[in-house]
Amino acid sequence: MELMEAVKARHSVRQYTDDAIAPEPLEVLRREIEACNREGGLHIQLVLNEPRAFDCMMAHYGMFSGVTSYLALVGPKGSQLEERCGYYGERLVLKAQQLGLNTCWVAMSYKKVPGAFEVKPDEKLVVVIALGHGANQGVAHKSKGVQAVSRGAETAPLWFRAGVECALLAPTAMNQQKFVFTYEDGKVSAKAGTGFYSKVDLGIAKYHFEIGSGRKAGLWK
């Protein structure tokens, strides 16, 4: 599955089967986690066979079931942590989709289980990502239009619009899509709106924008 195919195919999944993740995709995912941690300066950890985090009132209220594996998005405290977790977390989400796995970003509908993963004194857990074989493939979310989340799209090159359209396929907290991309003199700026986990959402959207636009080096203003 190509990356753009994964973007279009991937939807949030809350119900999972008890099928184990096979060794080969598991190893590919582990290598991708290592790469994301190295490039992003993060401490993302894969938790396997741990059912307690999603066996709580909040998880049941959030309609989660069968979740025994997840990614813990952890990193050094700082103003850029949430955006970096969004960016690299979504990179892992799409890699999982390419490997035939399903995912769901989870902000509050879980409980922290002591010893399941490590958070050092100078670090913070931002969110987790449920991971496994979905009982279904989820459904597409409703989306805003390009004009609602961008500035300068009318006169920008086609790659800018393609980037915004891909960003609109990105998952966001409560489907808020509270981000704005602006094109000016060949560069793009991206700004988060207000709301729950909007900085995480911005990181996710920026990764999608890079995929859709086909650009990365020298892109951001």
Side-chain angles (χ1 to χ4, degrees):
M1 182 183 292
E2 296 295 329
L3 194 52
M4 195 63 203
E5 290 179 296
V7 167
K8 295 178 179 179
R10 188 267 165 194
H11 307 299
S12 295
V13 172
R14 293 171 180 256
Q15 292 82 42
Y16 293 81
T17 71
D18 58 2
D19 296 332
I21 302 174
E24 185 175 346
L26 194 58
E27 180 57 30
V28 173
L29 189 60
R30 288 187 191 278
R31 290 199 300 267
E32 191 72 0
I33 292 170
E34 291 176 2
C36 287
N37 282 336
R38 185 172 57 252
E39 294 174 26
L42 297 171
H43 189 196
I44 299 171
Q45 296 156 67
L46 174 62
V47 182
L48 299 172
N49 305 315
E50 198 295 281
R52 292 173 293 170
F54 286 84
D55 186 16
C56 64
M57 184 181 298
M58 286 297 292
H60 296 315
Y61 179 76
M63 303 298 290
F64 285 97
S65 65
V67 182
T68 60
S69 299
Y70 53 93
L71 295 165
L73 272 58
V74 178
K77 297 174 182 177
S79 61
Q80 298 300 312
L81 176 59
E82 291 186 358
E83 184 178 323
R84 283 189 288 125
C85 281
Y87 183 95
Y88 287 100
E90 186 64 6
R91 175 170 154 179
L92 293 170
V93 160
L94 294 179
K95 175 60 70 174
Q97 187 72 33
Q98 289 179 302
L99 295 169
L101 301 172
N102 301 100
T103 53
C104 185
W105 285 85
V106 188
M108 293 179 287
S109 301
Y110 69 96
K111 67 178 179 182
K112 298 177 184 177
V113 176
F117 52 86
E118 181 184 28
V119 182
K120 297 177 182 178
D122 64 337
E123 293 180 335
K124 176 184 176 181
L125 169 68
V126 177
V127 292
V128 303
I129 298 172
L131 174 72
H133 293 284
N136 55 69
Q137 295 300 309
V139 296
H141 61 256
K142 293 181 179 179
S143 182
K144 296 179 180 179
V146 170
Q147 302 301 327
V149 298
S150 67
R151 303 290 181 270
E154 302 86 350
T155 57
L158 292 178
W159 60 260
F160 176 78
R161 185 180 183 90
V164 175
E165 289 174 345
C166 191
L168 286 168
L169 296 176
T172 57
M174 299 179 67
N175 198 30
Q176 297 175 103
Q177 296 186 317
K178 290 185 177 180
F179 50 76
V180 175
F181 291 90
T182 302
Y183 176 83
E184 187 176 7
D185 298 329
K187 297 281 187 177
V188 178
S189 61
K191 183 178 180 180
T194 57
F196 295 113
Y197 296 91
S198 60
K199 292 182 180 179
V200 174
D201 292 345
L202 181 64
I204 298 172
K206 288 176 74 172
Y207 185 62
H208 272 240
F209 187 96
E210 291 180 357
I211 295 170
S213 67
R215 293 169 177 249
K216 182 175 181 179
L219 172 66
W220 302 109
K221 185 175 181 181

